[in-house]
Amino acid sequence: MELQAVLMAAGGGSRMMDLTYNTPKPLLPVGNRPLIWYPLNLLERVGFEEVIVITTKEVQKALSADHRLKTDVKMRLDVVCIQEEADMGTADALRHIQQKIKTDILVVSCDLITDVALHEVVDLFRAHSATLSMLMSKVHEFTETVPGQKGKKKAGEQRDFVGVDVTGKRLLFMANEADLDEGLVFRKSIMRKHPRMLIKTGLLDAHLYCLKRSVVDFLVHNKSVTSIRGELVPYLVRKQFSKSLNSQNETEDSEKNQKQQDLLSTSKDEALLQLARERSCWNDHRGDMSEAYHGGKLRCYVHIMEEGMCYRVNTLAAYIEANRVVPKLFEDPPIHPGALVSERSLVGSDSIIGPLCQISDRTSIKRSNVGMSTTIKEKVKITNSIIMNGVIIEEGCNIQGSVICNNAVIGRGADIKYCLVGSGQHVEPEGENKIMFGNNNLDISDLFVYTMIVY
Amino acid sequence: MGDRLTASTMLQNEGKELTKEEKQRLRKEKKQHKKNKKDDKGPPEKEKEKEKASVPAPSKPATQSPAHKAAPAPVHASESAAAAEKPAKSKAELRAERRARQDSERTSKQGKKEGGQQSASSKPKATPNELQPVVKRLPEHVQVDDPAALKKLAKKLERQQVPLRSDYGYKVSLFSHLHQYSRKSPPTLQISIPATVIHPSIVRLGLQYSQGIIAGSNARSVALLHTFKQVIQDYSTPPNEELSRDLVNKLSPYISFLSQCRPLSASMGNAIKYIKKEISNIPSQCKEEEAKGKLQACIDSYINEKIILASEAISKYAIEKISDGDVILVYGCSSLVNHILCKAFEKQRKFRVIVVDSRPRLEGREALRRLVKKGIRCTYVLISALSYILPEVSKVFLGAHALLANGYVMSRVGTSQIALVAKAYNVPVLVCCETYKFCERVQTDSFVSNELDDPDDLIVTRNGKSHLENWQTVKSLGLLNLVYDVTPPDFVDLVITDLGMIPCTSVPVVLRVKNVDQ
């Protein structure tokens, strides 16, 4: 077998607590499908037949109960549960499932929505026998207004500096602004080997990695590495050019685990591969006297998507943007056949309605996503909004630019503009809410709600 | 064709008891009818023909009619009419009629082919194409502009579950019979991730071939054999199958995939033939582990003998030919020639090297790097400066991709030019080639069998501007990126092989001896 897929779905969604305090991130509905469906669909489309899903017990229960998911996803899901309290990083999770991993792995995050041609990433991994191959995308500006954000978003997010070589495929340098004191520091060895390097900042890391089996073994021996993105990837990128013979460390780690295999055969095969490389008249760079890859055994590659869709749904803004863009991807009918839509309602062509919905007369739904089992009574106007599952919206409401979470109830005549109504929240009838957050748990925002409501 | 049928059915209608002669004649008729039908309609009709053939010899009129039912409907209509028209015609007259009809059909078919290749047939070199309907095509001959052959290939690939790679861009008419692929559409577009139908090492190898990471005849063969070792290692015989037969069947789709990535080289072809022979020679009572071990050992010994030791032997012979004070000219990057020069340098011979290079591959830069790293004094020129530096040169060493049975040398495009100019300057040309690259093909020109590389490689970007960027929009412009050319034996003075130093014309002798050995 060539690759095993590992889907990391245990993350908490710490940057959008308003949405995820009640619903785990993998189950958030995007385009009327749970978020976890998108990476699973991507893997299934390219031909994977089974996936190892690392997640929490709650998500596992929901996955097994979701009939639609069962019929849509034909792959075999090998669900591994980890304790939520254990606060495992992604690398810790890999260490946890080390026994199941028998070949190279493809690690995907559950919040990735993309239509990338996956073979571009995997071809780099295959052709150059790379240790790491990852996917990045150009960041798109978000155009939708996000409830709770006044004015333009500041560049509060720390920038990522990514250095690639002239071809744009080999990854030479990776650092986050947070880890740097004053400026970028480059090793002389990198400059000597690759005098021309392009540094890019406007890139979004898709958290899709192809890793060699030996990396997993390395993780097992080095228990201090907790996160793939935060620690492992920068370490591997740095290690490409480390002074100590690159070959040594890599082969040390891999040799320890190859004792079961016939050492003689592998070393002979290595010699053959070496012979083929020697006889080949190819070099990945020119201008200096070194052989292909500068003789380095550790290589990291990146595929940067210029066009196409690539979203990581880990913030509220990304969530809203994804909901807007995703329905265009699929040929599903915008109005699910299981929904009861009355003839005298107006549902725009760029809205989607989930199954088991009840839309009454004289409602107007434009540019919105309405989730499963939602009841919408008469004379309701919904524009530019996201309504999740099980919501009840009484008559005469006017909802604009908002996100209404699961099982919320919006009272009669409420006027909600650019708000986020939390799960299970009740909005009083005849309430005019401009910009607010409604949650059950957080005291501060409750206060906020109270003071903002104008009767 | 309809008339022929009416002739036979007319006999049937006459109610004569068919004699043995007549039965034989009818059988021959049917065969002829089948053959013509096959040439006209192409392979999809083959199944129909086979059904017809499977019908037993038409001894009874009853069995004839179901066989003829497959014939086009209008025949039945004309049958009765024709039967009334032609009463008793003698057998000789019928035979003559038939022969005349066949001749006319054959000439009309050839006329059609000639018309289709008007542009190509201006040069006599294109004549092999015209013989296509009559001569059986050798599998090495690609025929991309023949839709029937393409259909056949597509069906074969579909059966083997190998994705078909589509051609790219406008092809120069002289080479329209060859495949032309683009690097931007990789062969792995439709291969599933993870690769299950095709072994992952083969997918990796195919990618490395198509991207040029493994280039050069020796490197490709070694990499191919290394991958086959891995395939054999991972292979397990299914129940009720014999390893000797099943493994060969398993390898066929892999080889199809590799040839889709990049056409196979002559050395690779010979290596595959050897492996297939070794596999089929495995006795059936041999256990699987033992058989696998045997095959791995065979592959190792093949590489050792034919590549590693051969290059040592060739270096030994070649070093005799290098004397102190020599100025040696090499072209492109031949692993064997580089090896020879490095060994000669180690043996303290005093010489200097002139490396000749050509676009778009610019492989000479890699050769230059290796030689300079060793410490050899080198000069680097492009092929356009060849005639200016040749007066300085004392010997020319060339590598080869394959040596053909009529003594022609197939090598990187530009080699024949070098040999020609060297001959004009009376500089000796020595070709270094291992015997496993000797090929039974016969070729006198570089058109019939060649390889077309990605035409976009010819686009050069200077100061941010690439003038050929939109070459596809200009209808009268074609970009041609040839890979190989053939050098006639008159320009080659000596061929250095592991069997010794032989003249070019002795290649068929070596091939004959090799075949006798095997």
Side-chain angles (χ1 to χ4, degrees), chain A residues 47-294:
Chain A
F48 274 98
E49 279 170 20
E50 59 174 56
V51 186
I52 301 174
V53 182
I54 301 181
T55 183
T56 55
K57 282 213 171 49
E58 202 183 332
V59 176
Q60 185 190 28
K61 260 188 253 168
L63 283 181
S64 46
D66 189 345
H67 295 287
R68 200 169 162 203
L69 201 71
K70 278 222 181 71
T71 46
D72 271 343
V73 174
K74 302 206 179 45
M75 299 186 290
R76 192 177 82 84
L77 299 178
D78 181 6
V79 184
V80 174
C81 287
I82 57 170
Q83 307 284 18
E84 229 176 279
E85 301 78 34
D87 197 19
M88 272 187 162
T90 39
D92 295 324
L94 278 184
R95 214 173 288 129
H96 183 72
I97 55 164
Q98 182 240 347
Q99 297 298 329
K100 289 182 187 267
I101 295 179
K102 305 212 169 23
T103 65
D104 303 334
I105 52 174
L106 174 68
V107 180
V108 191
S109 170
C110 68
D111 54 11
L112 176 66
I113 299 181
T114 178
D115 63 352
V116 72
L118 208 52
H119 72 85
E120 306 255 7
V121 180
V122 181
D123 278 352
L124 283 172
F125 184 70
R126 287 165 172 158
H128 299 276
S129 288
T131 311
L132 162 73
S133 170
M134 55 190 283
L135 173 68
M136 287 192 143
S137 160
K138 285 210 146 74
V139 168
H140 303 287
E141 284 298 320
F142 293 148
T143 49
E144 303 284 330
T145 8
V146 182
Q149 275 185 356
K150 300 187 175 89
K152 273 206 152 157
K153 203 170 91 148
K154 269 195 304 182
E157 304 247 323
Q158 300 282 350
R159 284 183 297 176
D160 262 333
F161 292 97
V162 177
V164 291
D165 74 342
V166 237
T167 60
K169 298 277 172 196
R170 179 93 190 260
L171 191 53
L172 301 174
F173 180 79
M174 178 173 284
N176 190 282
E177 200 172 345
D179 301 328
L180 303 167
D181 292 324
E182 285 181 351
L184 297 175
V185 180
F186 293 104
R187 291 180 113 137
K188 258 200 219 156
S189 54
I190 307 182
M191 306 296 336
R192 235 179 280 130
K193 290 177 182 171
H194 298 269
R196 298 191 70 190
M197 178 171 19
L198 302 167
I199 311 243
K200 303 188 182 222
T201 47
L203 290 181
L204 166 76
D205 185 344
H207 280 228
L208 189 147
Y209 308 107
C210 278
L211 294 167
K212 261 215 174 116
R213 169 86 197 283
S214 47
V215 175
V216 180
D217 299 332
F218 164 78
L219 280 180
V220 167
H221 292 291
N222 295 17
K223 300 211 188 326
S224 57
V225 179
T226 50
S227 151
I228 296 183
R229 173 63 176 90
E231 291 167 54
L232 183 63
V233 170
Y235 172 76
L236 288 175
V237 174
R238 268 198 318 270
K239 202 98 179 89
Q240 286 177 104
F241 304 104
S242 69
K243 276 210 187 104
S244 63
L245 289 167
N246 303 319
S247 42
Q248 249 186 17
N249 276 352
E250 262 296 300
T251 49
E252 260 172 33
D253 298 318
S254 51
E255 261 174 26
K256 279 183 208 155
N257 296 293
Q258 270 180 0
K259 280 213 177 88
Q260 295 95 345
Q261 291 177 31
D262 185 8
L263 267 176
L264 270 173
S265 71
T266 45
S267 58
K268 250 200 213 151
D269 283 349
E270 272 306 304
L272 270 186
L273 209 57
Q274 190 58 29
L275 178 67
R277 286 242 174 85
E278 266 173 44
R279 296 299 184 110
S280 171
C281 54
W282 178 84
N283 207 324
D284 66 328
H285 65 279
R286 58 183 181 87
D288 64 3
M289 295 296 274
S290 30
E291 50 184 352
Y293 306 127
H294 299 278

Side-chain angles (χ1 to χ4, degrees), chain B residues 139-439:
Chain B
E140 292 157 11
H141 283 128
V142 184
Q143 199 72 14
V144 174
D145 54 356
D146 175 22
L150 266 186
K151 244 198 215 169
K152 230 178 174 174
L153 175 68
K155 269 190 103 187
K156 174 178 150 207
L157 289 178
E158 207 185 320
R159 198 177 13 104
Q160 293 175 330
Q161 289 178 293
V162 172
L164 175 71
R165 202 174 173 194
S166 47
D167 282 5
Y168 165 78
Y170 170 73
K171 277 188 267 193
V172 172
S173 58
L174 272 173
F175 296 93
S176 56
H177 62 286
L178 298 169
H179 284 292
Q180 181 170 277
Y181 300 125
S182 164
R183 213 153 286 142
K184 287 191 283 250
S185 63
T188 50
L189 260 178
Q190 283 147 353
I191 301 250
S192 66
I193 302 165
T196 40
V197 176
I198 300 178
H199 194 275
S201 323
I202 300 269
V203 176
R204 166 173 303 158
L205 186 66
L207 268 176
Q208 288 176 329
Y209 282 164
S210 68
Q211 291 179 10
I213 295 175
I214 296 198
S217 193
N218 282 337
R220 293 209 289 170
S221 307
V222 172
L224 176 73
L225 290 170
H226 163 74
T227 311
F228 275 176
K229 274 179 88 173
Q230 290 186 317
V231 169
I232 291 172
Q233 187 65 37
D234 293 338
Y235 170 78
S236 54
T237 329
N240 305 331
E241 295 278 355
E242 266 189 42
L243 184 137
S244 54
R245 264 179 235 139
D246 188 58
L247 186 53
V248 178
N249 291 341
K250 275 261 157 52
L251 288 180
S252 299
Y254 300 164
I255 295 166
S256 302
F257 173 71
L258 289 176
S259 59
Q260 286 285 295
C261 297
R262 196 177 158 191
L264 298 181
S265 67
S267 53
M268 284 166 73
N270 286 343
I272 290 172
K273 262 190 230 147
Y274 173 77
I275 292 270
K276 283 192 171 167
K277 195 170 72 81
E278 286 300 313
I279 293 176
S280 31
N281 281 349
I282 292 208
S284 45
Q285 61 265 35
C286 203
K287 274 192 288 220
E288 189 175 318
E289 284 311 313
E290 209 184 305
K292 281 201 223 176
K294 222 183 193 179
L295 286 172
Q296 310 256 14
C298 276
I299 294 180
D300 280 332
S301 72
Y302 184 84
I303 296 178
N304 198 28
E305 268 177 62
K306 307 276 181 182
I307 302 179
I308 302 178
L309 288 179
S311 71
E312 295 295 322
I314 294 176
S315 318
K316 213 161 54 99
Y317 289 124
I319 290 173
E320 291 169 28
K321 291 289 178 190
I322 300 178
S323 31
D324 286 345
D326 257 347
V327 180
I328 298 176
L329 186 131
V330 299
Y331 177 65
C333 185
S334 166
S335 55
L336 187 53
V337 172
N338 292 344
H339 187 251
I340 292 172
L341 293 176
C342 293
K343 275 267 149 35
F345 189 74
E346 275 170 31
K347 290 232 161 73
Q348 315 296 331
R349 293 278 198 279
K350 303 276 176 293
F351 61 92
R352 67 182 179 92
V353 175
I354 299 182
V355 179
V356 177
D357 203 6
S358 72
R359 276 198 72 230
R361 287 189 167 228
L362 290 170
E363 287 169 335
R365 297 185 296 190
E366 185 58 23
L368 184 67
R369 178 189 75 80
R370 286 177 202 207
L371 295 174
V372 171
K373 194 167 182 190
K374 197 80 186 176
I376 303 173
R377 257 191 321 148
C378 295
T379 309
Y380 177 88
V381 291
L382 286 180
I383 198 168
S384 39
L386 185 60
S387 51
Y388 299 112
I389 45 126
L390 255 175
E392 298 179 10
V393 174
S394 63
K395 287 188 185 69
V396 176
F397 272 81
L398 298 173
H401 170 254
L403 237 64
L404 306 173
N406 55 350
Y408 278 64
V409 178
M410 185 176 204
S411 186
R412 184 68 79 221
V413 65
T415 314
S416 62
Q417 194 176 331
I418 298 209
L420 172 68
V421 181
K423 184 81 180 173
Y425 280 87
N426 283 323
V427 175
V429 174
L430 294 90
V431 170
C432 309
C433 181
E434 299 97 333
T435 48
Y436 86 108
K437 288 185 193 160
F438 284 18
C439 173

Side-chain angles (χ1 to χ4, degrees), chain A residues 269-437:
Chain A
D269 283 349
E270 272 306 304
L272 270 186
L273 209 57
Q274 190 58 29
L275 178 67
R277 286 242 174 85
E278 266 173 44
R279 296 299 184 110
S280 171
C281 54
W282 178 84
N283 207 324
D284 66 328
H285 65 279
R286 58 183 181 87
D288 64 3
M289 295 296 274
S290 30
E291 50 184 352
Y293 306 127
H294 299 278
K297 297 240 166 45
L298 213 173
R299 300 180 275 278
C300 300
Y301 285 86
V302 61
H303 172 66
I304 301 180
M305 268 175 85
E306 302 281 325
E307 1 165 89
M309 186 176 66
C310 181
Y311 292 104
R312 278 210 63 227
V313 180
N314 55 358
T315 58
L316 186 56
Y319 178 75
I320 294 176
E321 188 75 20
N323 263 297
R324 195 59 54 228
V325 172
V326 147
K328 300 191 189 102
L329 258 193
F330 304 107
E331 295 100 41
D332 281 345
I335 300 176
H336 197 274
L340 286 165
V341 180
S342 113
E343 276 94 41
R344 288 162 67 187
S345 62
L346 185 70
V347 178
S349 55
D350 38 13
S351 304
I352 57 172
I353 314 280
L356 305 175
C357 281
Q358 281 179 334
I359 317 268
S360 313
D361 299 335
R362 296 193 278 175
T363 49
S364 146
I365 301 178
K366 293 200 183 98
R367 289 194 86 222
S368 301
N369 294 0
V370 178
M372 209 168 58
S373 310
T374 304
T375 314
I376 301 181
K377 299 270 166 68
E378 288 91 16
K379 292 205 231 157
V380 172
K381 236 179 108 187
I382 303 179
T383 350
N384 270 345
S385 302
I386 298 168
I387 320 269
M388 292 200 202
N389 307 329
V391 174
I392 301 176
I393 302 180
E394 305 284 348
E395 297 103 38
C397 291
N398 185 353
I399 302 174
Q400 210 178 330
S402 306
V403 178
I404 318 279
C405 294
N406 288 332
N407 304 319
V409 176
I410 313 290
R412 264 186 321 114
D415 189 9
I416 301 180
K417 288 196 177 62
Y418 304 113
C419 298
L420 187 148
V421 179
S423 293
Q425 181 70 309
H426 286 252
V427 175
E428 301 296 326
E430 301 292 338
E432 206 183 283
N433 310 300
K434 281 271 153 49
I435 296 177
M436 68 146 204
F437 285 93

